[in-house]
Amino acid sequence: MRKYFSKKDSILFLILGFCLTALIAHIAYVSGGSNTSATSLMSLAVITVSATNRKTVGIIHALISGLSIGPILPLHVELGIPQKPVNWIIRTLYLVSVSLIVNYFAQYYIKEFEKNHRIEKEISQSNMATIYALIKLSESRDDETGTHVERVSQLCRLLAIKMQGIAKFSDYVTDEYIDNLSKASMLHDIGKVGIPDNILLKPGRLTREEFEVIKQHPIIGANVLAEIYDMYPNNSFLKLGHSIVRYHHEKWDGSGYPNGISQEDIPLSARIMAIVDVYDALRSKRIYKASYDHEHSISIINEGRGKHFDPDITDIFIDHSQEFKDVYDRVTADPPKVSYLDFDLSS
């Protein structure tokens, strides 16, 4: 019981149970005595305590509840007729039985819940292991340092924290949102596993036809997540992940892909990801390009303000650009250890 009811909660329910016991005993007295139907309400007090506390606590409370409408409560108050001992003894035994039965079923359903939750968690970890394998596979194909997903995770977290201090975003960018965003951002390029090497790793300029193939990776990745999201429709991590994967190549002016949506029609998570992903790509060496320094990368992002990127988010990024440089350099030098076990799809 302690796993689902804290010690504080159990004490509160116990106090509530004793308050109900006293109230019901008083109602029975002013109603005329133990011969009234008010005594049957005592089961409510017993159920309240027995369902939320240990068995021994429930039994003790049931005994006290039985005695409170037992020998000290007359059969008929006005006539002063006392109860026969057998009556209140039977009533007390009945309340103890109620306590035992309620506690048994409470424990039974808690054990069933634990078992089902354990099974669901194992399934979610299996699904997340698959996703995480796709993350690392997609990253390994075109990232020479092998720390791209770790960097974008930390950069997204930093940018969201800075946005949280701005009135326009503060209500939406909560601590939970930031945590989910930093994890979900790692999913952004999982669709690249569906892109042929001769296109993804081409050192020269892509043809129009080859670029059309590249533009399919957000759809490929989003379709992968959509199947798992159907199993966990209330999972905010997967919901954010799907938005990031699908829309992180959309542009503020509507010239992006795959949907060509613009401005605030683009989910906020994808607008954050767009800036972070471009900054990391500019700073990083790829098979088709050399790395740019921080200053050059920032100037390119500034040029994309209001075109490629959300202007408000761009301003925040540029205002704190030195902090983003520091995070990029730190994570590149010493990447944090990330495991699929850090993600829970079952909640």
Side-chain angles (χ1 to χ4, degrees), residues 177-197:
Y177 179 90
I178 293 172
D179 188 52
N180 282 324
L181 176 70
S182 68
K183 296 174 181 176
S185 64
M186 301 176 73
L187 304 171
H188 67 285
D189 274 342
I190 61 171
K192 285 185 176 179
V193 296
I195 305 301
D197 283 349

Side-chain angles (χ1 to χ4, degrees), residues 171-219:
D171 290 340
Y172 191 76
V173 183
T174 62
D175 290 343
E176 181 182 7
Y177 179 90
I178 293 172
D179 188 52
N180 282 324
L181 176 70
S182 68
K183 296 174 181 176
S185 64
M186 301 176 73
L187 304 171
H188 67 285
D189 274 342
I190 61 171
K192 285 185 176 179
V193 296
I195 305 301
D197 283 349
N198 67 311
I199 296 177
L200 185 65
L201 304 181
K202 184 177 179 179
R205 187 177 183 86
L206 296 175
T207 66
R208 180 178 299 178
E209 292 75 17
E210 289 170 336
F211 187 59
E212 288 301 317
V213 175
I214 285 285
K215 287 165 63 175
Q216 293 301 305
H217 83 268
I219 298 173

Side-chain angles (χ1 to χ4, degrees), residues 150-164 173-183 185 272 276 324 327 330:
E150 287 82 1
R151 286 196 303 266
V152 297
S153 174
Q154 295 299 313
L155 291 169
C156 280
R157 176 180 290 276
L158 176 59
L159 182 52
I161 289 172
K162 298 303 181 183
M163 292 170 61
Q164 195 176 33
V173 183
T174 62
D175 290 343
E176 181 182 7
Y177 179 90
I178 293 172
D179 188 52
N180 282 324
L181 176 70
S182 68
K183 296 174 181 176
S185 64
I272 295 171
V276 166
F324 288 97
V327 168
R330 173 175 53 80

Side-chain angles (χ1 to χ4, degrees), residues 152-318:
V152 297
S153 174
Q154 295 299 313
L155 291 169
C156 280
R157 176 180 290 276
L158 176 59
L159 182 52
I161 289 172
K162 298 303 181 183
M163 292 170 61
Q164 195 176 33
I166 306 299
K168 178 179 179 179
F169 302 110
S170 58
D171 290 340
Y172 191 76
V173 183
T174 62
D175 290 343
E176 181 182 7
Y177 179 90
I178 293 172
D179 188 52
N180 282 324
L181 176 70
S182 68
K183 296 174 181 176
S185 64
M186 301 176 73
L187 304 171
H188 67 285
D189 274 342
I190 61 171
K192 285 185 176 179
V193 296
I195 305 301
D197 283 349
N198 67 311
I199 296 177
L200 185 65
L201 304 181
K202 184 177 179 179
R205 187 177 183 86
L206 296 175
T207 66
R208 180 178 299 178
E209 292 75 17
E210 289 170 336
F211 187 59
E212 288 301 317
V213 175
I214 285 285
K215 287 165 63 175
Q216 293 301 305
H217 83 268
I219 298 173
I220 295 171
N223 288 342
V224 170
L225 288 184
E227 293 186 18
I228 300 177
Y229 184 62
D230 286 342
M231 293 186 284
Y232 304 97
N234 297 318
N235 189 278
S236 53
F237 159 67
L238 285 175
K239 184 177 181 180
L240 268 181
H242 184 271
S243 295
I244 290 172
V245 171
R246 177 86 188 191
Y247 302 111
H248 72 283
H249 282 294
E250 300 291 352
K251 296 183 180 180
W252 185 254
D253 63 5
S255 63
Y257 64 89
N259 292 77
I261 56 178
S262 63
Q263 300 190 20
E264 293 187 358
D265 287 339
I266 306 169
L268 180 61
S269 57
R271 284 181 270 151
I272 295 171
M273 186 70 227
I275 292 181
V276 166
D277 193 33
V278 169
Y279 175 75
D280 189 86
L282 291 170
R283 293 288 315 274
S284 304
K285 181 181 178 182
R286 293 288 188 268
I287 192 171
Y288 51 85
K289 63 173 282 294
S291 61
Y292 297 154
D293 61 24
H294 172 73
E295 289 71 22
H296 189 189
S297 300
I298 290 298
S299 68
I300 292 174
I301 288 176
N302 195 31
E303 289 174 5
R305 182 186 184 278
K307 301 172 186 176
H308 189 157
F309 310 116
D310 181 323
D312 292 330
I313 300 177
T314 305
D315 291 342
I316 296 170
F317 187 89
I318 292 175

Side-chain angles (χ1 to χ4, degrees), residues 88-119:
W88 62 261
I89 289 173
I90 291 174
R91 189 181 296 114
T92 301
L93 291 175
Y94 164 75
L95 292 176
V96 170
S97 299
V98 169
S99 175
L100 290 171
I101 292 170
V102 168
N103 187 268
Y104 171 81
F105 280 107
Q107 292 286 354
Y108 172 80
Y109 284 113
I110 285 174
K111 290 178 181 178
E112 285 295 301
F113 177 83
E114 286 178 336
K115 182 176 73 174
N116 292 335
H117 180 71
R118 184 171 61 253
I119 293 172

